[in-house]
Amino acid sequence: MRYETLRISIEEKILTITIDREKQLNALNTQVIDELHQALKEAYGDEKVKGIIITGAGNKAFVAGADIKEFVGLNKEEAFRLAKKGQQLVFDFIESGSKPILAAINGFALGGGFELALACHFRVASANAQFGFPEVGLGIIPGYGGTQRLPQIVGKAKAMELVLTANRINAEEAKSLSLVSQVVLPEYLIETSKQWMSQVLSQSPEAISSAIKAINAFYKEDRDAGFNTEVEEFSTCFLTTNYTEGVDAFINKRKPQFK
Ligand code: CO8
């Protein structure tokens, strides 16, 4: 399928989705939200795709937020629908994805852009990346899950500080808060992101999906759901040939060959 606001490429089982509205700093308008949903849906159903990287076009912005121009004249119901639709189509869809998804953050990750990065399973940033929630300065609040996912990662106090002050933080600060796994020079961002993804893809794919589900269960529901999902997913792994392979490889002191 062809997209107007995205570029898609695949290399060694890793699909890279580049949000391609460079002049608008890759701001998320409704078309980007719809196309991102479609591209992710295709990727989830495509046997050739094992992992996904999301990044932004150019070297200035990952995503500078939701497209503010689409907010003009919205009433409460329309604003509700816009936020809800985006959460379901993209942000929850990424978080609950059965394949690992990494955000390669190549510049500003503000508002909805920060939220997009937070919805991914992990993050790598270029040294020029900046993160922040400018929403309160626009008279609104984060609406694509930021008030929920930021405190889950950095804790309530830091999340309150960042959301209420609208202060931006740089890549190194993001690293110190565990928001990103690694900070690299911009020219190495995609290569390094692929290395992280390859490390994930060298494991059992069913175990990766199960781990994502189990970790998410606590945050989506509660502590009991988290532990119950972990037991359920743990035991489901025992139905896979990759489990047999992984355990056999360990016992026979060889490297596993996962399918
Ligand atoms: N929306 C629309 N257009 C944008 C956005 C955006 N978020 N960000 C940048 N642009 C556009 C600018 O309007 C400008 O367009 P034009 O050339 O036509 O005037 C172009 O991108 C380049 O931007 P600047 O000239 O402003 O570039 P600077 O280098 O001077 O500044 C900044 C870069 C600091 C990133 C600046 O562009 C900026 O502050 N952008 C807005 C950041 C922001 O406030 N983001 C949060 C938006 S609100 C949000 O994300 C809510 C999420 C939840 C929504 C739920 C329901 C939809």
Side-chain angles (χ1 to χ4, degrees):
M1 176 147 178
R2 286 189 58 76
Y3 299 101
E4 285 177 15
T5 64
L6 308 176
R7 273 187 278 127
I8 310 278
S9 62
I10 183 162
E11 192 190 12
E12 293 186 3
K13 302 176 186 168
I14 301 173
L15 187 88
T16 302
I17 302 177
T18 305
I19 300 168
D20 194 14
R21 294 185 77 212
E22 192 176 343
K23 284 204 177 107
Q24 294 79 27
L25 304 187
N26 304 317
L28 302 173
N29 63 9
T30 17
Q31 187 179 6
V32 178
I33 294 291
D34 288 339
E35 293 195 352
L36 264 177
H37 176 74
Q38 198 51 43
L40 289 163
K41 200 168 142 192
E42 278 184 30
Y44 293 164
D46 186 343
E47 265 302 300
K48 296 188 293 301
V49 176
K50 302 294 182 196
I52 300 164
I53 292 175
I54 299 179
T55 192
N59 51 17
K60 187 167 170 183
F62 171 66
V63 167
D67 193 319
I68 300 168
K69 288 161 193 157
E70 289 190 344
F71 294 170
V72 179
L74 291 187
N75 63 31
K76 184 186 187 304
E77 285 69 34
E78 289 162 338
F80 182 93
R81 277 201 300 275
L82 196 65
K84 188 84 184 164
K85 180 183 163 202
Q87 284 196 11
Q88 288 173 338
L89 286 189
V90 172
F91 297 79
D92 294 348
F93 200 50
I94 288 173
E95 185 178 61
S96 310
S98 54
K99 297 182 181 180
I101 306 183
L102 179 152
I105 302 152
N106 55 308
F108 288 116
L110 302 177
F114 194 2
E115 292 173 304
L116 182 64
L118 292 171
C120 292
H121 302 127
F122 58 130
R123 289 151 287 280
V124 174
S126 61
N128 65 327
Q130 291 207 34
F131 301 79
F133 280 126
E135 280 89 338
V136 292
L138 293 164
I140 57 173
I141 65 166
Y144 280 150
T147 64
Q148 304 308 299
R149 292 193 180 98
L150 185 63
Q152 288 167 13
I153 299 174
V154 303
K156 183 177 169 185
K158 193 69 190 178
M160 280 283 185
E161 177 198 309
L162 291 176
V163 173
L164 303 190
T165 61
N167 281 345
R168 284 190 215 150
I169 55 170
N170 64 26
E172 284 303 335
E173 289 172 90
K175 170 87 170 53
S176 71
L177 291 169
S178 301
L179 274 166
V180 302
S181 302
Q182 191 177 348
V183 178
V184 291
L185 290 172
E187 54 271 37
Y188 299 122
L189 179 66
I190 296 300
E191 185 188 324
T192 307
S193 300
K194 285 183 176 170
Q195 283 163 4
W196 277 94
M197 188 55 83
S198 298
Q199 162 80 13
V200 175
L201 299 187
S202 68
Q203 322 297 332
S204 157
E206 295 95 344
I208 293 300
S209 297
S210 287
I212 291 171
K213 244 195 227 171
I215 292 172
N216 280 339
F218 168 82
Y219 296 100
K220 283 170 169 286
E221 295 176 60
D222 58 22
R223 187 176 179 278
D224 284 348
F227 282 101
N228 289 335
T229 305
E230 187 185 79
V231 173
E232 179 56 33
E233 291 299 321
F234 173 79
S235 55
T236 301
C237 292
F238 285 69
L239 296 171
T240 69
T241 51
N242 281 328
Y243 139 72
T244 324
E245 169 62 12
V247 171
D248 185 74
F250 175 79
I251 290 169
N252 291 299
K253 301 188 187 302
R254 62 178 177 82
K255 220 172 164 316
Q257 301 290 324
F258 291 123
K259 286 197 209 83

